[in-house]
Amino acid sequence: MPDHQTPLIATIAAGLMLAFVLGLVAHRLRVQPLVGYLVAGVLVGPYTPGFTADPALASELAEIGVILLMFGVGLHFSLKDLMSVARIAVPGAIGQIAVATAMGAGLAWTLGWPPLAGFVFGLALSVASTVVLIRALQDRHILETNRGRIAVGWLVVEDLAMVLALVLLPALATVTANDDVPATRIVFYLLVTLAKVSIFVAIMLLVGRRVIPWLMHYTAHTGSRELFRLAVYAIALGVAFGAAKMFGVSFALGAFFAGMVMGESDLSQQATQEAIPLRDAFAVLFFVSVGMLLDPSVFVDAPLAVAATVAIIVLGKSLAAYLIVRAFRRPPGTAFTVAASLAQIGEFSFILIGLGIELEMVPAESRNLVLAGAIVSIVLNPLTFMLAERLRHDHLEDGASTDGPAPAAAPVWRPTTLSGHDVLVGYGRVGSLIGRALASEQAPMVVIETNDANIERARADGAETYSGNAADPNVLSAANVAGARRLFVTIPEAFEAGQVVQQARAANPDLDILARAHSDAGAEHLAKLGSNLVVLGEAEIADRMIERAQGRNGGS
C-alpha cells in the first residue's frame, strides 16, 4: 500500500525507527539520546531529501507525549508543593519573561524588525520546554527535590503566562492594524481569559478532587488492570482535551492539573507506572516533530542571527533566572539548577511564533530562528546542566556560608572514610527497613538516594548519605564500594539496578550483592550481572504464605 494512504503509520514508523537508530548512535557518542531524536526529525522533515513524514500528524502525536508527561508530573506535584514555591515561582517567572522578551526585542531591532515583531519574537524566546525540563530533572533524579519543584513551578507560571499571550495576541494584532479599536477590548479579552482559567482550576479543585480519585478506586475494585490502565489514559487525555476546548488552557496545563488531582489518591503510584510506556514513546515523537520543522539552511544563511538567538536563550535567560533566584535569598545550588532548567525553549515557543506569523505580526524568517535556537539549546541543555551541577558541587565543596543550612546529603566528590561497611542504594520502603535493621546492629552504612525526604530519614538512622544517581561511577566510588562488605540494591528499576550491580562487581569481586526484582526476567538479569542474591517480591510472599499454611497443617 502506498505511503500516502497510511500517513499516520508511516509517520510513527519512520519517526520511531530513525529515532531509535540515531538515539543509539548518540548514546554511543556519550551524548543525550534526544540529540539523535532531533536529527531523526531533520532527516524525515520537508527540508531534506528522501521520505517526508506528515508534519501535522507528527505535531499531534507529540502533543500526546506532552499531555502524558505533564500528567505524570502532576501525579508527583501536589497543590501543597505548588503553593510552597509560588512565592518565588510567580515573581521569578514574570521577571525572567520580561528580561528575555526585552533581549529578544533588542535582537529583532538590530535585524530591522518593527517593535511589535520584536515583542512577539522575544516572548517566544522567554518560555522553556516542558518536555525538555521534566526529562532533564528526571534523568538527574532531582524532580522531587526542592530545587526541582521550584523549576517546575516556575515553568507552570510561564505556561499560564503564555496562555494569556495566545489569547491576547489576536487582540493586539487587531489594535495595531486598526487604531480605532478601544483599549477596553484588550482588557475584556484579558478578563475573559483569567475567568476561564480560574473556572477550570476551581472545577478541578472542587469537583475533580472528589470525582477522579473515586473513579480510580471504583475501577481498581473491578480487579481489571486493563480497565485501570484505560482509566488513567482516559482521564489524562480527556481532561487535557476538555480543558483546551472548554476553557482555552493548554493541553499541558490541563493534564498537569488532572495528574495533580489524581496524585491525592493512594493509587497514584500505580497510575504512574501505567502511564510510563506511552509517555516515553510519544515524548520521543515530540523531539522528532521539532526536528522536522527546521530548515537547516538557516545556519548558513544567518549564522550571526542564530548565534545571537542561542545566546539569549542559553546565556541571557540563565543569567536572569540565576540573579532572580539569588535575589530571593535562595542557595546558589538552587539558582544554578533553575538557571540550567530554563536555558532552552520548546513547544510554546513554536506555537507563539506560528501564531505571530499567521497574524502577520512577525516576518516568516523568525520561525527558523526560533527553531534553530530551540534545537541548539536543547542539544546544549545537558552540557548546561553538567556545568550547573559542577558549579553547585564546587560551591558546596568550598563550604560557602551563603548556601544556607548544610546540605542534606554528603557531596558526591567527597569520598567516605568507611571501609568494611554496608552500602544501600535507595532508602524507600524496602531500603529504610534494611537500614533500620543495620542501625540496630550499629553497622556502619552509606546510603545513596535522590529523594530529599528519604535522605533525611537515612541521616536520622545514622547513615552517611550521598544525593545522586547510584549508576554514576563517581557516586559509587565516593561510597567506597571497592572497600565495602555488602551492597543492598533496593531500587525497583531493573535497568538502573543492573548498572549498579555491574559496576559494583567490577570494583569489588568479593562484594556480597543483594538486590530486589519485580519479575523473573529482572531477577535473571541482575544475577547475570553479578548479584549474589536476588529477592523477587512475589516469590517471597508466596513462600511466606505456603510456610504459614504448612506450619498450621503440621501443627494440627
Side-chain angles (χ1 to χ4, degrees), residues 478-502:
N480 192 20
V481 170
R485 64 167 180 160
R486 290 181 301 199
L487 171 67
F488 296 88
V489 183
T490 70
I491 54 178
E493 297 85 1
F495 180 76
E496 185 176 329
Q499 291 181 305
V500 175
V501 170
Q502 186 176 32

Side-chain angles (χ1 to χ4, degrees), residues 89-148:
V90 174
I94 294 174
Q96 182 253 306
I97 289 173
V99 172
T101 301
M103 290 189 291
L107 173 58
W109 178 77
T110 64
L111 296 175
W113 300 353
L116 182 60
F119 170 75
V120 176
F121 179 68
L123 202 60
L125 301 184
S126 69
V127 58
S129 165
T130 300
V131 176
V132 176
L133 171 64
I134 303 305
R135 178 66 63 86
L137 296 179
Q138 286 176 333
D139 287 347
R140 289 158 183 81
H141 300 276
I142 57 177
L143 179 61
E144 296 182 22
T145 63
N146 183 57
R147 51 198 173 110

